[in-house]
Amino acid sequence: RSKKCNRTGPPMGARWIAIRRYARHLAAGFLVVLLQSCVSASKSATSGQQEEIRRLISTICETGWPDNFSGHADRTPSSERLIDIGLPALQYGVLDLLLSDDPATIRLAWRVLNDVVIIEHGWIPGRGWQDERMEQESFRLWKANGSLLWNSPKEVRVNAHSKWKAWVAERMAARE
């Protein structure tokens, strides 16, 4: 006859305890590496990322969507990727597109700026605002920086451009 084990959990011998400690050590090390890579990625754009931003800006007006796509006129694959990149995309060229004479380019640049700003303030795509206070802060910032619309006159865009450049520079410096 075999004896039945009454334990319901894993064996707690010395070997098992050592394995659990080692697993925690590995997990902690992985977490540190992951966090360091996230922090360094958010500080400033690498040369590879700057090159990607330049490429995306050069193709910002190319839709690339299927012919039957009835999506937004202010979104393209390039603008969506620039939004994902965030502040570095604004810093390395998207803001300058606001000074363009082409309405389609301005509209796409405005969409990237708008989405990056609200995401920076806690808006989550597909879920919306998570904090009403941050939503109000976002609106205050937008107003302070010129209440820019994609179809604003050039003088308004020039004024807003310098304010947004300063905001992005300040925000990027705080991350370094």
Side-chain angles (χ1 to χ4, degrees), residues 136-148 163-164:
Q136 294 305 316
E137 177 58 32
S138 174
F139 292 143
R140 279 192 291 279
L141 174 67
W142 199 263
K143 188 174 181 180
N145 284 352
S147 298
L148 184 67
K163 291 178 180 181
W164 283 113

Side-chain angles (χ1 to χ4, degrees), residues 27-96:
F30 174 75
L31 186 59
V32 167
V33 169
L34 180 66
L35 288 174
Q36 286 173 340
S37 67
C38 289
V39 169
S40 64
S42 68
K43 285 184 180 179
S44 63
T46 63
S47 62
Q49 192 175 45
Q50 288 179 29
E51 181 56 38
E52 180 186 13
I53 292 167
R54 280 191 289 274
R55 182 182 55 76
L56 291 167
I57 285 172
S58 72
T59 61
I60 197 166
C61 289
E62 295 175 12
T63 63
W65 301 121
D67 291 337
N68 61 354
F69 180 74
S70 61
H72 301 284
D74 58 351
R75 295 192 184 277
T76 63
S78 292
S79 69
E80 291 294 303
R81 177 66 185 126
L82 289 164
I83 291 166
D84 291 341
I85 293 171
L87 288 174
L90 298 178
Q91 183 179 34
Y92 293 105
V94 171
L95 288 177
D96 296 336

Side-chain angles (χ1 to χ4, degrees), residues 63-136:
T63 63
W65 301 121
D67 291 337
N68 61 354
F69 180 74
S70 61
H72 301 284
D74 58 351
R75 295 192 184 277
T76 63
S78 292
S79 69
E80 291 294 303
R81 177 66 185 126
L82 289 164
I83 291 166
D84 291 341
I85 293 171
L87 288 174
L90 298 178
Q91 183 179 34
Y92 293 105
V94 171
L95 288 177
D96 296 336
L97 296 178
L98 293 171
L99 304 178
S100 172
D101 292 325
D102 177 41
T105 301
I106 297 165
R107 183 181 205 131
L108 290 161
W110 180 88
R111 171 55 61 199
V112 174
L113 171 63
N114 179 75
D115 285 10
V116 169
V117 169
I118 63 176
I119 289 168
E120 283 285 312
H121 284 83
W123 183 81
I124 299 173
R127 291 181 46 205
W129 291 99
Q130 305 304 300
D131 182 347
E132 188 177 321
R133 198 172 25 104
M134 294 305 289
E135 179 181 12
Q136 294 305 316

